[in-house]
Each structure stands twice: as C-alpha cells, then as structure tokens.
Amino acid sequence: MQVISEIRHDDGVLEREFTLGEIPGTLWTPGSTPAPLVLMAHNNGLPRNQSRLVARARQSAAYGYAVATIDAPGCGDRPRSAADEKARADIRRAMQAGEPVDEIFESFIGPLVEKAVPEWRTTLDALLVLPEIGGPVGYSGWTAVGIRLAVTEPRIAAAGLFAGGYVPRAQREEARQVSIPLLFLLQWDDEGNPRQRALDLFDAFGTKEKTLHANMGGHVGTPYFEVEDGNRFFGRHLK
Amino acid sequence: MQVISEIRHDDGVLEREFTLGEIPGTLWTPGSTPAPLVLMAHNNGLPRNQSRLVARARQSAAYGYAVATIDAPGCGDRPRSAADEKARADIRRAMQAGEPVDEIFESFIGPLVEKAVPEWRTTLDALLVLPEIGGPVGYSGWTAVGIRLAVTEPRIAAAGLFAGGYVPRAQREEARQVSIPLLFLLQWDDEGNPRQRALDLFDAFGTKEKTLHANMGGHVGTPYFEVEDGNRFFGRHLK
C-alpha cells in the first residue's frame, strides 16, 4: 500500500490517497485512533471521489470511524476498456430512450461486482495491518458488493446498504444467505430503481437483525440525518 | 387539572398521575424544564399504564421531553359500557376463530377515535399552561388518533406513529391531509396488521418529510434503539 498524498483537515480527519497495486483508494482516519473501519462504496461503481461519497466519508470519519473507498475496475481513476465504454453508452442510450435497462445492467454490473469484491478483500487485508485501524469492520453503500462481501468475508460485521442501484440476479439470490446486521436505506421515489424490488430484497435478506429506513424523494434526496443514523448503527455493531 | 400522586424517580424524572374531569392521565417531566411536550398514546386505546408505554415514556422524559398520556373513553382506568364489553368480546372471539376482524374493529375503533381526539385536545390545553412545559408539541404512538390530531390540531408539530394497530377508514382517508413531519414505525411481521396496508398508509401521508423505519419481528418486537431514534426525530422538530 503506497500513500500518494495526505491532507489533515480542520476537524482532525486525515485524508490519504493511496494505491494498492493498480487499485486507487482513499482512506480517512479520525483524530483519535485506533478506530473501527468502514468500507464505503458507491452503487454501480461510481467514482470514489464523487462529492456525496466524500462528504459522507468525511462525516463518518469525524464521528470516529476509519473510512476507506476504492475505485472499482474501469471506474473512477481507472482505465476503461472498449467494452466498458460500450456498456456505458448502451445504458445511457437505453435510459434516454426510456427502454428497459435491466439486461444491460445485468451484463455490465454482474461482472463488475465479480471483479470488485476480490479487490475490496485485498484492500481489507492491507488496511487491517495499519496501527490506526482496529476492531470489527463495517461496510456501507453499494448493495450488490455489500451482499457479496457479507456472505464471503467473515471480517465484515455489519452493513448499511443503499437500495438505489442495480442488484444483479446472483446477489439477489445470495441475499438469503446474509446473516450480519443490516441497515437498508431506500429512497421512496427513486427514479429507475423500482420500490417493490427494493422491498422484496429487504424481505429476502436472511439476517434477523435488519432495519429499513425509507425517506421521500428521488435517488439523491437522502436526508442528512441518515448519515448520523448510519454512524449510530455501526456504533451498535462495531465494538 | 388535579394531581393525584407524584413520584420523583432516581433519574430526576417527575411522574404525576392526574385527572382532568373524568379523564385520567400521567405526566412525566424531566429534571430540567421547561421541556417540549410529547403526547404519547397506545394503539387502539390500550391502558396508559401498560408497561411498554410507561417504559417508553420514562425513557423519553429522561432524554428531556415532558411526556403525557391519558386513558381513552372506556379504556384503562375508565368505566366500560356494556357496548364496549361486547365489542371487545366480539373481537377476541373473531380473532380466536381466525375470522376477519376489520369490520368489528371499524365499528369499535372508529367511534373510539372520534371520542378520544377531543379529550387529547382538552388535555393539551391544560398541559400547555404548566410552566414546566414549553415549545412545540409532538405526538407519539396510536396512529389513528395521531392522524386525526395532525389534521385538526395546529399545535402538533411532528408525529411518530406506530403502524401496528387498526386505522379506521376515515383516518386512512385523512392521511392525505397530514402535512407535519412523520416517523412511521413498522414491525415487518406484525401478526394481524397487514404489511401492505401499512406501506400503503405510509405512501398516502400527504407530508413530504416522512420516514419509515421497519424492523423484523412481531407486534411487540420493536428494538430498543427505535425509542432513541424517536427522541432524535423529535429533537429535529420540537425546537
């Protein structure tokens, strides 16, 4: 793990850009350490420097968590293949034309999840040896990757998942095997993410300790207090 | 308003039994006053000294709210009419026989809500003159009464409603007129309270600032942290 740059923010949070082989990432650590770690990913591989994710990560770090994110293959700062570019163009075209996008998402997001999950586990290996990180690990954000990690990575103790994003069929099946505590966050009128599908997924999760929070509005309308609720959720489980 | 008895608890909360004409009630006030008031009622007129309601009220008072509850007509400490007794017997018999109970509930709970709401408003009048109570008013618990109060009582600024209870048709209609912030609490597998009906009610509320919290388990399985979440919800709106 190679640190590329670091900034100490006014609230005491240390922000470090790093690379781990070809994986670029960011780690935010609070003023007081060792801190429990939260892996934070955006649905469908949105770039790790996306402003909403960065704001969320910094707020959770100021609250007392170490927060890490990486770019998925072909996303953010990473090179895109011709196939990636074509898939993205297909999605944009279908959405603009109001055509069904499920099959295009399935063929793009399905393999992306398969590639992203081993990289998150590699990142976890590298982060857990740092002295400023301690305790059990939480996961936050991208639902499909979270499901996969929850059923394959025993070091993940709790997950906060955001319903607004395509969940491939394989992960919808795997949801029944999830047994860690979950907080599932739904935007009630999320354009392009059918509400009933999200409710069905919540129902399917195998864990007994799962909570759904639903708020009004579209995909990007999650109210600020849900970040606090997420921090408190992790506070109950990362001890 | 006549105080019948008072107890000062170890956490500083003062608990007073009172009567207001023929209405019996309990008021819990925190050590530091004036405090914002939360009216707290159990679904379907369960007694105000029911242990879960008392525990919730005391926790919210210790957190910093004045909390008040009253018995609805024919409920708790109040005399029951022969018609009340018959309706309750009908409900028990139908439930034990696994027969539909909606129409029996409609004919019992509908009028009960009509009778209870003016008494809550009378109680509110009496409480708001007390020097230890200040600020805007919240409502918590019994959904049907909460809907009615939310649309008829401008002093109610926010409401936390529990989905597990029969909501008469009149209040399901009125839900569209509710415009105050809401926290709606659902037990995912609440026996006797159909989940889809609760989700439809959440969808119907007219307010833009509404949040659904759903947890696993049956009617009485709400996790302890939802009391804290409710306190924080009121903290955002009773200022």
Side-chain angles (χ1 to χ4, degrees):
Chain A
M1 183 172 166
Q2 191 170 357
V3 173
I4 306 294
S5 68
E6 64 174 62
I7 304 170
R8 175 77 69 177
H9 294 289
D10 289 345
D11 57 5
V13 171
L14 180 64
E15 176 177 331
R16 282 173 281 186
E17 304 286 321
F18 65 84
T19 56
L20 195 63
E22 62 187 17
I23 309 168
T26 310
L27 172 65
W28 294 265
T29 45
S32 85
T33 59
L37 175 65
V38 176
L39 305 177
M40 200 174 272
H42 255 343
N43 270 339
N44 301 350
L46 280 179
R48 77 181 199 287
N49 62 6
Q50 209 278 343
S51 61
R52 281 176 295 127
L53 182 136
V54 169
R56 192 151 53 89
R58 283 194 53 187
Q59 191 170 339
S60 291
Y63 186 88
Y65 297 109
V67 179
T69 186
I70 57 173
D71 281 328
C75 301
D77 292 340
R78 298 177 70 172
R80 295 185 185 189
S81 66
D84 290 339
E85 298 286 11
K86 180 178 180 310
R88 286 166 199 269
D90 287 349
I91 290 170
R92 271 194 303 273
R93 194 165 43 233
M95 290 181 99
Q96 280 165 4
E99 291 165 11
V101 288
D102 275 9
E103 289 311 313
I104 309 174
F105 267 122
E106 183 67 36
S107 63
F108 180 54
I109 303 293
L112 186 57
V113 171
E114 299 295 327
K115 285 180 279 186
V117 165
E119 295 195 345
W120 278 103
R121 300 185 74 174
T122 300
T123 305
L124 190 50
D125 291 339
L127 292 169
L128 287 181
V129 299
L130 298 178
E132 57 268 44
I133 290 174
V137 179
Y139 174 89
S140 171
W142 186 359
T143 295
V145 165
I147 292 171
R148 198 80 220 271
L149 280 172
V151 299
T152 57
E153 175 51 78
R155 291 172 293 184
I156 305 285
L161 304 176
F162 182 60
Y166 185 79
V167 179
R169 280 188 286 269
Q171 277 70 56
R172 273 181 269 161
E173 285 299 314
E174 281 178 324
R176 301 195 181 278
Q177 301 168 42
V178 173
S179 60
I180 58 170
L182 293 181
L183 177 61
F184 193 54
L185 196 54
L186 170 66
Q187 282 298 97
W188 199 246
D189 300 300
D190 189 345
E191 58 282 7
N193 288 297
R195 183 192 304 160
Q196 191 58 50
R197 191 186 283 177
L199 293 172
D200 290 345
L201 182 60
F202 177 68
D203 196 49
F205 289 125
T207 185
K208 288 191 176 62
E209 198 165 353
K210 55 185 174 182
T211 301
L212 171 72
H213 284 191
N215 290 283
M216 290 306 97
H219 187 77
V220 300
T222 302
Y224 72 96
F225 54 76
E226 290 293 351
V227 180
E228 297 166 13
D229 284 9
N231 290 338
R232 296 174 70 250
F233 164 76
F234 287 122
R236 293 197 292 275
H237 301 293
L238 306 186
K239 284 186 182 137
Chain B
M1 184 171 163
Q2 191 171 355
V3 174
I4 307 295
S5 68
E6 64 174 61
I7 305 170
R8 175 76 69 177
H9 294 289
D10 290 344
D11 56 6
V13 170
L14 181 63
E15 176 177 330
R16 281 172 282 185
E17 303 287 320
F18 65 84
T19 56
L20 196 63
E22 62 187 17
I23 309 167
T26 309
L27 173 64
W28 294 266
T29 44
S32 84
T33 58
L37 176 64
V38 177
L39 305 177
M40 202 175 270
H42 254 343
N43 269 341
N44 301 350
L46 279 180
R48 76 183 198 287
N49 62 6
Q50 209 278 343
S51 61
R52 280 175 295 129
L53 183 134
V54 170
R56 192 151 53 90
R58 284 194 52 189
Q59 190 171 341
S60 291
Y63 186 88
Y65 297 109
V67 180
T69 186
I70 57 174
D71 280 328
C75 300
D77 291 343
R78 299 178 70 173
R80 296 185 184 189
S81 68
D84 290 340
E85 300 285 11
K86 180 178 178 313
R88 286 166 199 269
D90 287 348
I91 290 170
R92 270 195 303 274
R93 195 165 41 233
M95 289 180 97
Q96 279 164 7
E99 292 165 13
V101 288
D102 276 8
E103 289 312 313
I104 309 174
F105 267 122
E106 183 67 36
S107 63
F108 180 55
I109 304 293
L112 186 57
V113 172
E114 298 295 328
K115 286 180 279 187
V117 165
E119 295 195 344
W120 277 103
R121 300 185 74 175
T122 301
T123 306
L124 190 50
D125 291 339
L127 292 170
L128 287 181
V129 300
L130 298 178
E132 57 268 44
I133 289 174
V137 180
Y139 174 90
S140 171
W142 187 357
T143 295
V145 165
I147 291 171
R148 199 79 219 272
L149 280 172
V151 299
T152 56
E153 175 50 79
R155 291 173 293 184
I156 305 285
L161 304 176
F162 182 60
Y166 185 79
V167 179
R169 279 188 286 269
Q171 277 69 56
R172 272 179 270 163
E173 284 300 314
E174 280 178 324
R176 300 192 182 280
Q177 302 167 42
V178 173
S179 61
I180 58 170
L182 293 181
L183 178 61
F184 193 56
L185 196 55
L186 169 66
Q187 284 296 99
W188 199 246
D189 299 300
D190 189 344
E191 56 282 10
N193 289 297
R195 184 193 303 161
Q196 191 58 50
R197 191 186 283 177
L199 292 172
D200 289 346
L201 182 60
F202 177 68
D203 196 49
F205 289 125
T207 185
K208 287 190 176 64
E209 198 166 352
K210 55 184 173 181
T211 301
L212 170 71
H213 283 191
N215 290 284
M216 291 305 98
H219 187 77
V220 299
T222 302
Y224 72 97
F225 55 76
E226 289 294 351
V227 180
E228 297 166 13
D229 283 8
N231 291 337
R232 296 174 70 248
F233 165 76
F234 287 122
R236 292 196 293 273
H237 299 293
L238 305 186
K239 288 200 178 124

